[in-house]
Amino acid sequence: MPRPLGELEDAVMTRVWKWNRPVTVREVLEDLQQERTIAYTTVMTVLDNLHQKGWVRREAEGRAYRYEAVSTRAAYAAALMNDAWSQSDNPAAALVAFFGMMSEEQRQALQDAVRIVQGPETRQAPEAAEPKPAPAERRENPGSAEGAAGR
């Protein structure tokens, strides 16, 4: 399980994930500088650390590198949730508590995700979802008009 990203690592990775393409230190620096004062060497060190930790891969371009995310932000969030959940001594209770914290929009997203994971083969057509009568219920009742007519 990956350790949670630090505040500056997350700020850098947010840009790498959002842009979804190889990025340079200069590009990340210029975007970060809109929010804070930060040095080129700081951004370069953070990206190098993220590379060493396996969050980004890099390719040389002249004397610099282009960095690209190894996985998505969604995969990172899923790994954090899985790690937190697996550390619980009562996973069912942890899930119930987590669901209780969710907004209606988040619960809907969860339901959508479950449908996607289950796939089309587990979904039933409307007519297949209706209960079929048991074989005993389909037999003619000997005392009924149908049963008497058939005798």
Side-chain angles (χ1 to χ4, degrees):
M1 162 60 205
R3 281 192 359 230
L5 296 171
E7 187 261 331
L8 189 51
E9 290 174 327
D10 186 68
V12 169
M13 283 305 299
T14 294
R15 282 145 180 89
V16 175
W17 281 319
K18 181 175 87 175
W19 296 336
N20 196 28
R21 61 173 171 75
V23 300
T24 64
V25 171
R26 176 76 50 205
E27 290 173 308
V28 175
L29 170 72
E30 289 172 358
D31 200 60
L32 282 170
Q33 285 179 330
Q34 294 176 25
E35 300 172 2
R36 64 177 86 194
T37 303
I38 191 166
Y40 180 93
T41 53
T42 302
V43 176
M44 185 173 65
T45 299
V46 169
L47 279 164
D48 185 59
N49 290 342
L50 289 167
H51 175 256
Q52 304 250 346
K53 292 177 180 181
W55 287 104
V56 295
R57 63 179 145 258
R58 67 184 181 193
E59 279 197 37
E61 185 175 277
R63 293 178 36 204
Y65 288 105
R66 282 203 174 267
Y67 296 87
E68 186 174 16
V70 169
S71 66
T72 64
R73 179 164 210 118
Y76 167 68
L80 290 178
M81 288 187 291
N82 186 57
D83 185 54
W85 184 52
S86 67
Q87 291 180 29
S88 173
D89 61 349
N90 187 341
L95 282 174
V96 169
F98 180 61
F99 297 157
M101 294 177 196
M102 296 173 120
S103 68
E104 184 56 38
E105 182 178 293
Q106 290 169 322
R107 280 193 286 279
Q108 185 60 51
L110 176 63
Q111 289 173 343
D112 293 344
V114 168
R115 278 193 291 275
I116 290 168
V117 169
Q118 288 176 338
E121 65 279 353
T122 60
R123 294 185 202 129
Q124 295 182 340
E127 62 276 358
E130 294 175 18
K132 300 252 190 260
E137 294 173 334
R138 279 187 253 147
R139 281 192 216 123
E140 293 178 1
N141 183 345
S144 71
E146 291 174 14
R151 283 186 224 161

